Amino acid sequence: MFQFRRPVAALIAAASVASLFGAASADAQTIKAVMHSDVKILDPIWTTAYIQRDFGYMVWDTLFAVDDKLQVKPEMVDKWEVSPDKLTWTFTLRDGLEWTNGQPVTAEDCIASIKRWGAKDSMGQKMMASVAGFEAVDAKTFRMKMKEPYGLVLESLGKPSSNVPFMMPKKTADTDPNTQIKVEDVIGSGPFIFKADEWKPGEKVVFVKNPKYKPRSEPASGLAGGKVVKVDRVEWIAMPDVQTQVAAIENNEIDMIESPGIDLLPLLAKDKNVKLFNANPLGLQYTFRFNSLYKPFDNPKIRHAVMVAFNQEEFLKATIGDPKYYKVCKAPFVCGTPLASDAGMADVLNGDTAKAKELLKEAGYDGTPVVLMQSTDLQVLTNLAPVAKAQLEAAGFKVNMQAMDWQTLVGRRNKKDPPDKGGWNAFLTAWVAADILNPVTAGFFNASCDKAMFGWPCDATIEKMRDAFAHETDPGKQKQIAIDLQKYWVDHPTHINVGQWYQPVALRANIDGMLEAPVPVFWNMTKK
């Protein structure tokens, strides 16, 4: 039986939360939530970090979105058509779409937004490689002309998670995609307004209902349908200590914990005033990311040796602990989904230290230390790096583990500096399953050199297979391409999947209407 003993520190925290963060609002239309991270960056295109993605869904809208079955549905788009030769896509926006500065949303805004997103996002890059150009037909209509038929247009424009093709004003979207947008350029098209004047990094982020937002008429489903806001205000409270979070929700000082500590879930389940909700049934995947630019991970044989050395269950035990909330799963495209497969994975992720040592010797590893970044302020990530360090050292690597908060890591991982001059060799993160269901959506499979995500793998064979998948329309052939890619990737890994896990949300019992979606969203939620 899983037992939990509440420490004295938690009791002290319970008494002090109100003084630190303010008592819960008497206004029943305010939801106070503790998210998985603080917000210090406001640009969901510049980074794939999920807290910026979550911020994006509050402030901006999308042309298309996925429902609770991951089917693509129109959102800002009213109607669209594709020419018989599949080379021209025409999109017309809904009536009444307006930016929070009072200006109408235009076709030019959308074109600029697609271009900026397409320069950064893995799936966007693949689509844009087949795009010949754009044309604004009128204020609400634009065309996307293709060089060749492309099978994932709607899936790309409606992708649910990082990076999301959020629509922004042209002035904002014209910002270099490798430069963060400014706070004054956070001009939204979505259901909430960001209150920049109340933003206090390290303390809180505030959103209010957008009175000018025009939701769709369909019922909300997943990230699609009518984004009807039923509260006046949402506050994201920065509260990194998990025991303090539990004390706060028990005392009715906050209404929601997005990512409650797994070891505290039994305690929360016993509280009649708190309920646990599994908003993302497909779960998440832990991932070890290589920097392929520098020794030792510029050598694919050394990267393969790491995959041989790693044991998934050790990562999962150290971070999640309770098998109810994790799954050992070698399939990189997520167990329980159409492309899930163990093909080529028999000899990896078994914790075979002896074999890994042999492979390192054969690959000529020269003792170059691995600069491993450790995130210390997110409980679901903190223990990953120490496990990786132990397994790497057991295989013969030298490891320099460097601790930092998540937002610092998010900034540093974009640097291409050498590891001994402020750069890095590896870090661990987690992907929502909806992000990694196939070779094109899965950003860490992008091996397009300088265009790839941080880590910058460069592998023409992987890119050829990703291109083939993107242009194939037959599901059976797509699956075979994914299997072939997976078999090649095992020997030339860009990253390593180190386990699948599940994270319920903790809500006060009087909070209803949270949607089942791969992203925590606050429209449709009510507070009784």
Side-chain angles (χ1 to χ4, degrees):
M1 179 180 291
F2 190 95
Q3 292 182 327
F4 174 81
R5 180 174 294 172
R6 188 173 181 181
V8 173
L11 298 174
I12 297 172
S16 61
V17 166
S19 61
L20 287 172
F21 300 99
S25 172
D27 181 358
Q29 300 306 309
T30 297
I31 291 179
K32 291 191 175 186
V34 174
M35 304 300 283
H36 69 273
S37 174
D38 186 24
V39 175
K40 297 179 181 177
I41 298 167
L42 303 178
D43 191 342
I45 304 301
W46 182 81
T47 179
T48 58
Y50 282 152
I51 194 64
Q52 278 70 47
R53 172 208 64 186
D54 300 346
F55 178 89
Y57 271 108
M58 298 292 282
V59 176
W60 290 288
D61 210 347
T62 57
L63 296 175
F64 293 86
V66 294
D67 64 14
D68 60 3
K69 301 294 189 297
L70 297 181
Q71 299 298 307
V72 179
K73 304 293 183 182
E75 195 60 34
M76 296 175 79
V77 167
D78 178 40
K79 58 183 179 181
W80 74 97
E81 61 183 26
V82 58
S83 62
D85 62 5
K86 310 294 185 185
L87 295 180
T88 302
W89 290 77
T90 304
F91 304 96
T92 300
L93 300 173
R94 292 192 286 124
D95 291 333
L97 301 182
E98 188 174 311
W99 301 111
T100 49
N101 64 3
Q103 297 299 309
V105 177
T106 69
E108 292 284 3
D109 296 322
C110 296
I111 291 171
S113 296
I114 293 171
K115 287 180 177 179
R116 185 171 191 259
W117 159 78
K120 290 286 285 187
D121 178 66
S122 174
M123 199 169 188
Q125 288 173 1
K126 281 298 176 200
M127 185 187 80
M128 292 299 290
S130 294
V131 173
F134 294 87
E135 175 191 2
V137 179
D138 56 40
K140 294 198 309 173
T141 305
F142 67 96
R143 293 194 182 104
M144 184 169 71
K145 298 182 178 181
M146 314 300 290
K147 301 173 187 175
E148 57 199 349
Y150 187 77
L152 299 175
V153 169
L154 298 184
E155 289 83 356
S156 299
L157 295 176
K159 73 186 298 277
S161 195
S162 300
N163 296 101
V164 178
F166 292 117
M167 295 300 104
M168 302 180 180
K170 185 176 186 301
K171 180 178 181 295
T172 303
D174 282 342
T175 304
D176 184 296
N178 294 308
T179 300
Q180 293 182 42
I181 65 173
K182 300 176 181 177
V183 63
E184 59 265 29
D185 291 329
V186 180
I187 299 169
S189 57
F192 290 91
I193 297 172
F194 168 56
K195 292 283 290 176
D197 59 329
E198 296 189 55
W199 178 36
K200 298 179 181 179
E203 184 175 335
K204 67 178 179 179
V205 188
V206 177
F207 307 90
V208 296
K209 180 179 180 178
N210 182 358
K212 296 182 178 180
Y213 180 72
K214 184 178 180 181
R216 294 189 68 88
S217 59
E218 301 93 335
S221 174
L223 299 172
K227 297 178 179 177
V228 179
V229 175
K230 301 178 180 180
V231 295
D232 297 316
R233 180 180 174 96
V234 174
E235 297 180 7
W236 290 358
I237 308 298
M239 194 181 295
D241 181 74
V242 293
Q243 293 175 355
T244 304
Q245 294 171 12
V246 169
I249 200 168
E250 288 183 330
N251 291 340
N252 196 24
E253 291 159 346
I254 59 173
D255 303 295
M256 169 180 158
I257 306 171
E258 180 200 356
S259 183
I262 296 294
D263 58 335
L264 301 180
L265 292 178
L267 176 68
L268 290 169
K270 294 177 181 178
D271 191 328
K272 63 179 177 26
N273 295 310
V274 177
K275 57 187 177 183
L276 300 177
F277 176 61
N278 186 11
N280 179 26
L282 284 178
L284 305 95
Q285 184 188 89
Y286 281 131
T287 309
F288 180 93
R289 177 63 161 177
F290 298 106
N291 184 341
S292 298
L293 295 180
Y294 297 105
K295 295 173 60 176
F297 296 142
D298 58 341
N299 184 339
K301 292 183 179 179
I302 291 178
R303 300 198 301 270
H304 174 71
V306 178
M307 191 178 280
V308 171
F310 276 178
N311 178 309
Q312 284 191 347
E313 190 151 20
E314 294 305 313
F315 286 96
L316 295 167
K317 285 180 177 178
T319 52
I320 306 303
D322 187 345
K324 178 180 178 181
Y325 296 108
Y326 74 71
K327 178 186 293 184
V328 172
C329 171
K330 291 187 178 183
F333 299 120
V334 186
C335 287
T337 68
L339 295 183
S341 170
D342 286 342
M345 307 291 290
D347 296 327
V348 297
L349 296 175
N350 299 322
D352 192 340
T353 301
K355 179 64 175 176
K357 285 182 177 179
E358 292 177 13
L359 292 171
L360 276 187
K361 185 176 180 179
E362 292 172 7
Y365 174 62
D366 62 1
T368 299
V370 173
V371 175
L372 175 63
M373 296 191 292
Q374 179 197 17
S375 167
T376 57
D377 60 331
L378 305 185
Q379 189 195 36
V380 294
L381 298 181
T382 298
N383 292 340
L384 292 172
V387 173
K389 180 177 186 292
Q391 295 191 12
L392 288 168
E393 289 176 339
F397 285 96
K398 293 181 180 179
V399 181
N400 175 9
M401 187 172 73
Q402 299 181 7
M404 64 201 74
D405 65 61
W406 175 242
Q407 291 293 297
T408 299
L409 190 155
V410 166
R412 184 171 168 181
R413 70 185 181 182
N414 286 286
K415 295 182 178 180
K416 291 185 177 180
D417 300 327
D420 61 350
K421 292 181 171 58
W424 57 280
N425 290 114
F427 73 95
L428 291 108
T429 187
W431 286 97
V432 167
D435 271 333
I436 52 175
L437 298 181
N438 68 58
V440 178
T441 62
F444 280 174
F445 273 94
N446 183 341
S448 58
C449 311
D450 285 345
K451 292 183 178 180
M453 296 176 67
F454 36 82
W456 307 282
C458 192
D459 193 309
T461 300
I462 289 178
E463 285 306 291
K464 183 178 180 180
M465 293 184 187
R466 292 180 69 239
D467 284 336
F469 185 94
H471 290 88
E472 181 57 65
T473 58
D474 182 284
K477 293 180 180 178
Q478 281 185 329
K479 184 161 188 174
Q480 187 57 54
I481 293 169
I483 288 173
D484 292 342
L485 169 58
Q486 183 172 307
K487 291 177 178 177
Y488 176 85
W489 166 79
V490 168
D491 291 320
H492 305 78
T494 55
H495 63 287
I496 303 175
N497 52 312
V498 292
Q500 200 163 316
W501 58 287
Y502 307 89
Q503 175 69 72
V505 175
L507 299 164
R508 290 288 298 180
N510 63 334
I511 302 296
D512 286 324
M514 188 173 192
L515 295 166
E516 187 176 288
V519 177
V521 294
F522 288 81
W523 58 83
N524 202 59
M525 292 177 68
T526 62
K527 183 174 181 179
K528 298 177 182 177

